Amino acid sequence: MRMLESKDDETDVEVTWEDQQRINTFSKLNARVGDLEETLERKKEEKDALDDLATELELGDEDELVLYKVGEAFVHIPLPVAQARLQQDQENLEKEISSLRDKIEESEAAMKELKVVLYGKFGKAINLDV
């Protein structure tokens, strides 16, 4: 059984090349935001792990050697050196997280502008809600 659409819902709007480019740009930005959000979550988890590690290292003995991960290997280094490296790693990770948040905000702002333009032209004929 087929449902008949009302005449009010039918909108035949021609899609120009520029419109298609806007739609494609919106799609790319949407995919980018998804990827950036996944990366952001991984970085947050990594930051939490480093914060936990910093707490554990505070309880350690000053004369003790600790295993510290450098790349794919673990190296024995003195506790004060490990704490300094850990602090630097935390700062670098915080910068990365901030940068990712900025990129997400920029992409979402661009998507919002494209939504206004595309919904203005196509109305209900296009669905950009994600």
Side-chain angles (χ1 to χ4, degrees):
M1 180 178 209
R2 196 177 121 178
M3 295 182 65
L4 298 175
E5 295 181 23
S6 68
K7 292 289 182 187
D8 295 336
D9 290 342
E10 289 183 21
T11 53
D12 289 334
V13 179
E14 182 179 335
V15 179
T16 64
W17 183 84
E18 290 84 12
D19 295 331
Q20 188 61 51
Q21 294 306 310
R22 287 185 190 108
I23 294 168
N24 292 346
T25 301
F26 182 88
S27 177
K28 289 177 194 173
L29 288 170
N30 188 38
R32 181 176 183 216
V33 166
D35 292 343
L36 289 172
E37 286 175 344
E38 287 177 17
T39 303
L40 179 62
E41 285 304 311
R42 284 194 309 270
K43 295 293 180 182
K44 283 181 180 178
E45 289 172 5
E46 189 176 335
K47 174 104 171 70
D48 290 342
L50 289 180
D51 291 342
D52 292 344
L53 179 59
T55 303
E56 289 293 323
L57 286 179
E58 287 176 5
L59 302 174
D61 185 20
E62 288 288 327
D63 300 331
E64 204 176 312
L65 287 179
V66 294
L67 282 173
Y68 196 85
K69 186 176 181 181
V70 179
E72 295 295 320
F74 288 90
V75 194
H76 285 281
I77 57 176
L79 181 63
V81 174
Q83 288 173 323
R85 290 197 65 153
L86 181 61
Q87 183 177 2
Q88 184 64 40
D89 289 346
Q90 286 175 311
E91 290 170 4
N92 290 341
L93 202 51
E94 191 59 47
K95 289 177 187 175
E96 289 179 38
I97 289 171
S98 177
S99 174
L100 286 170
R101 285 183 178 142
D102 291 343
K103 289 177 184 178
I104 289 171
E105 287 175 13
E106 289 172 12
S107 296
E108 287 176 340
M111 287 171 61
K112 191 172 185 178
E113 290 175 16
L114 287 169
K115 273 186 178 183
V116 169
V117 172
L118 292 169
Y119 277 133
K121 180 166 184 179
F122 296 106
K124 293 181 180 179
I126 191 168
N127 182 10
L128 301 174
D129 292 324
V130 288

